[in-house]
Amino acid sequence: KERRNRLGHLLACDYAEHALPRFEKKYPMDSRPRQAIESARQYANGKATVAELKWQTQRLQAMLEGTTETREE
């Protein structure tokens, strides 16, 4: 099950990367989506913590909400 979850996370990263060129063309200075995907990939490979992944997720959420703030937990 753990291997299947890992592969699912990596596949999601691959799919998300396919959308990056469109986003980066419109917002070339915003690296948050690319950083979040990389963090998710590192997490799936056991090289990032849940806290790191959560922080990147919060950064993306702030972007979607039009803010720059992230919450510390």
Side-chain angles (χ1 to χ4, degrees):
K1 183 178 178 178
E2 187 174 313
R3 184 175 191 281
R4 189 170 56 224
N5 285 340
R6 178 181 173 272
L7 292 176
H9 287 290
L10 292 173
L11 184 60
C13 291
D14 289 344
Y15 283 128
E17 281 180 332
H18 284 287
L20 276 178
R22 286 190 217 165
F23 178 86
E24 291 175 335
K25 184 176 181 180
K26 189 169 182 175
Y27 304 102
M29 302 303 291
D30 194 341
S31 62
R32 289 176 290 188
R34 182 170 293 281
Q35 290 170 343
I37 293 167
E38 181 58 30
S39 182
R41 190 178 302 284
Q42 288 177 352
Y43 176 76
N45 287 319
K47 297 179 181 177
T49 65
V50 171
E52 291 167 321
L53 184 61
K54 191 173 186 178
W55 183 74
Q56 290 291 349
T57 301
Q58 289 175 345
R59 291 181 71 218
L60 278 179
Q61 187 65 39
M63 177 191 73
L64 294 172
E65 293 172 357
T67 65
T68 58
E69 298 177 19
T70 56
R71 295 181 299 274
E72 294 288 327
E73 291 189 20

